[in-house]
Amino acid sequence: MAHAVVILAAGLGTRMKSKQPKVLHPLLGKPLVGYCIETAFASGAKKVVVVVGHGAEQVRQTFAAYPNLSFVVQREQLGTAHALAQARPLLEGFPGPIVVTQGDTPLTRVETLTGLVETMRQSGAGMALLTMRLDDPTGYGRILRDAQGEILANVEEKDATPEERAIREINPGVYCFDSSLWEKLAQVDNRNAAGEYYLPDLIRIYRQAGQKVVSLESKDTGELLGVNSRAQLAEVERVLLARLRAYWMSQGVRMIQPETIYLEPSVELAPDVTLWPGVILRGHTRLGEGVEVGAYAVLSDTVVEAGGKIKSHTVCEEAYIASRADAGPFARLRPKAHLEEGAHVGNFVELKNARLGKEAKAGHLAYLGDAEVGEGSNIGAGVITANYDGERKHRTQIGKRVFVGSNSLLIAPVTLADGSFIAGGSCINQDVPEDALAIARQRQRNIEGYMKRKRTEGQKSPNEPA
Ligand code: UD1
Ligand code: CA
């Protein structure tokens, strides 16, 4: 019988000291509760219910796209048992086991959830929960067992005696219940230090009803870390990053000083990718076989095809780099920068909505915005496309094998036809025909002997010619 999952995510997360609801804080680019939702579906859940409260609308909107996902609102945050009770109208009568997880515990593995369901099924228990042992159990509920090792109860830190606080086996907040859950939930009271309805009180209630409560201990303490504070968020991030790096290295990626590399779960890497220290890979970045990314480059939603190269300190956002093309060091590729095979972008070049054709080059200090550069063309140092007239953006069209001399200003809309040549320092505001030479600058004037005369006169400034 397939299970359903309830994710508790209504709390504000006071200890985060943030205006943003805790479960929406990003962990490697994705909101915390997003991990819980994905894991729930990946575990085979037929139905997933998220209990929302603080930032309810925001949470709902963020995950609107998931089918079989529903939300219930907990108006007042009266505790985890009260939160779970809100899901009753949606799940009462659901035939399978009900799994409950917490929106602030993002790294729980799929196998751990299915393992818990399996543990309950095999033992014939009414309730199953995960436990884990921590060297520092501070902040978690402690698990009380009898001499035979049977679970008796969970005690929250606030309510615990000093002896109970010394217990290192804790409750990570992942449970599985049979369908008697809803009637038992009504028996939970709020007579405790926090004045809250504690979900783990169900351990006692199931036992009092004569039903078995069993546990499954997780040996991977990293997966069950809860996020209550910024420091815990950083810790969870560290665990997830270590997981991702280890995975990609096992897939053939070379990382130099891996502990300095940041990458998000949505990134895809091919074998023989090389990442130098300090590289940041975000969003739907995809790197093909043999791609090398230099130190401190930042790539967001960027595709680099096999054999492409990004040199150090380059920043790419929604860019596309074909094979044998390269960018950097210190290049900036903004959205819709597109380098075709063998194209080259060098230092201090910025591209936005601009395409460099095959083997085209912009080696240094240029701005290409809303521009098309044909195959084999060369953009000199200091070339600028003036694409914005203060109101609208205009395109610059550069054909094949065009040479644009250094420090030229191309005022868009303008077209430089195939094979044309722009003399350095030109200000181009008219189309240039095929194979033409365009010069658009003041002619140089040499004044013979001027400096010599000035030196002998010794007074006049060169700005006031004789
Ligand atoms: C809870 C457990 C504790 C366990 C720990 C594991 C209880 C009483 N305590 O404590 O035993 O060791 O998790 O991480 O359950 N929430 C609601 N509505 C509420 C209260 C909380 O939806 O009224 C949600 C929160 O958004 C959060 C989750 O439930 O995602 C847990 O709440 P939190 O306040 O973080 O509980 P802990 O103190 O961590
Ligand atoms: Ca918590």
Side-chain angles (χ1 to χ4, degrees):
M1 191 76 69
H3 59 280
V5 177
V6 181
I7 301 167
L8 308 182
L12 172 62
T14 325
R15 290 163 279 183
M16 295 295 279
K17 305 226 162 82
S18 169
K19 284 194 178 116
Q20 193 174 33
K22 176 166 73 178
V23 297
L24 285 179
H25 276 259
L27 167 62
L28 304 188
K30 187 159 70 182
L32 287 173
V33 66
Y35 289 87
C36 304
I37 293 171
E38 275 172 20
T39 306
F41 281 118
S43 76
K46 272 268 168 319
K47 251 180 145 177
V48 177
V49 177
V50 184
V51 182
V52 290
H54 282 279
E57 244 346 274
Q58 223 179 325
V59 181
R60 224 189 268 258
Q61 278 166 18
T62 310
F63 300 99
Y66 283 89
N68 303 329
L69 178 66
S70 24
F71 297 90
V72 284
V73 178
Q74 183 196 24
R75 303 227 169 270
E76 259 186 298
Q77 279 66 58
L78 302 179
T80 45
H82 179 258
L84 178 56
Q86 311 309 304
R88 183 172 184 165
L90 284 164
L91 288 173
E92 198 163 26
F94 183 84
I98 309 284
V99 172
V100 178
T101 68
Q102 303 188 148
D104 66 352
T105 308
L107 301 187
T108 313
R109 286 178 202 272
V110 174
E111 311 85 75
T112 307
L113 283 194
T114 51
L116 185 66
V117 176
E118 209 38 52
T119 300
M120 189 169 93
R121 185 171 289 143
Q122 282 172 9
S123 62
M127 172 178 180
L129 71 155
L130 290 178
T131 70
M132 64 173 172
R133 277 165 220 280
L134 291 180
D135 291 335
D136 177 11
T138 309
Y140 290 93
R142 313 295 206 276
I143 298 294
L144 308 185
R145 292 182 185 265
D146 67 12
Q148 284 71 49
E150 290 289 315
I151 292 193
L152 297 175
N154 165 78
V155 57
E156 289 300 300
E157 185 163 276
K158 281 183 183 165
D159 303 286
T161 63
E163 297 76 56
E164 288 167 340
R165 282 188 195 199
I167 296 171
R168 286 175 35 220
E169 190 185 17
I170 63 98
N171 164 32
V174 182
Y175 320 86
C176 185
F177 302 98
D178 68 7
S179 53
S180 72
L181 165 68
W182 307 110
E183 64 203 48
K184 293 195 169 67
L185 206 47
Q187 298 170 39
V188 177
D189 64 41
N190 65 351
R191 289 194 297 267
N192 52 54
E196 285 184 5
Y197 295 89
Y198 289 164
L199 192 158
D201 282 1
L202 286 166
I203 299 173
R204 268 191 222 278
I205 294 168
Y206 266 92
R207 285 180 54 91
Q208 277 158 12
Q211 284 183 277
K212 255 203 321 195
V213 175
V214 293
S215 66
L216 178 65
E217 184 179 333
S218 167
K219 298 290 182 196
D220 173 8
T221 52
E223 73 166 329
L224 294 169
L225 294 174
V227 175
N228 297 313
S229 62
R230 303 277 184 175
Q232 284 173 325
L233 179 56
E235 175 65 8
V236 162
E237 204 152 68
R238 195 187 60 74
V239 169
L240 183 54
L241 276 172
R243 250 195 218 176
L244 290 170
R245 294 186 198 111
Y247 171 76
W248 286 117
M249 285 193 274
S250 79
Q251 300 302 109
V253 170
R254 178 179 185 213
M255 296 188 185
I256 298 151
Q257 289 193 12
E259 64 286 358
T260 66
I261 291 166
Y262 171 99
L263 75 171
E264 297 182 347
S266 39
V267 165
E268 283 177 65
L269 306 174
D272 288 319
V273 160
T274 297
L275 305 176
W276 285 85
V279 164
I280 294 181
L281 304 176
R282 308 187 55 187
H284 294 283
T285 292
R286 178 166 64 76
L287 306 182
E289 207 168 315
V291 165
E292 186 167 342
V293 182
Y296 305 104
V298 180
L299 277 62
S300 307
D301 300 310
T302 288
V303 173
V304 187
E305 301 289 7
K309 198 165 182 174
I310 304 293
K311 294 178 188 162
S312 66
H313 298 276
T314 291
V315 178
C316 302
E317 187 185 347
E318 291 171 43
Y320 175 86
I321 293 100
S323 60
R324 294 189 299 103
D326 73 296
F330 299 98
R332 174 144 189 238
L333 304 189
R334 291 170 53 200
K336 291 203 204 142
H338 185 112
L339 307 191
E340 288 181 12
E341 278 155 48
H344 163 70
V345 165
N347 45 210
F348 308 109
V349 172
E350 175 181 344
L351 262 71
K352 187 219 75 178
N353 188 24
R355 174 188 287 261
L356 277 195
K358 285 186 186 150
E359 315 290 338
K361 292 178 174 41
H364 352 247
L365 298 155
Y367 171 62
L368 298 169
D370 302 306
E372 175 95 31
V373 179
E375 197 174 320
S377 288
N378 187 24
I379 307 296
V383 169
I384 299 260
T385 56
N387 57 328
Y388 187 49
D389 60 13
E391 280 174 30
R392 291 176 46 210
K393 301 279 170 71
H394 302 280
R395 285 195 72 77
T396 299
Q397 201 73 37
I398 299 173
K400 295 178 185 164
R401 299 172 314 281
V402 173
F403 184 95
V404 183
S406 295
N407 219 35
S408 290
L409 171 62
L410 309 176
I411 301 178
V414 72
T415 298
L416 316 183
D418 292 353
S420 60
F421 189 107
I422 312 301
S426 291
C427 176
I428 301 293
N429 61 358
Q430 288 166 40
D431 290 354
V432 180
E434 200 169 325
D435 295 328
L437 164 68
I439 310 182
R441 64 182 183 222
Q442 190 86 23
R443 247 178 206 286
Q444 182 171 333
R445 183 161 70 112
N446 291 340
I447 301 168
E448 295 291 341
Y450 172 84
M451 288 309 290
K452 192 174 183 184
R453 283 200 301 281
K454 192 186 147 255
R455 277 193 294 274
T456 46
E457 285 169 22
Q459 278 142 350
K460 282 200 173 149
S461 122
N463 294 332
E464 302 165 43

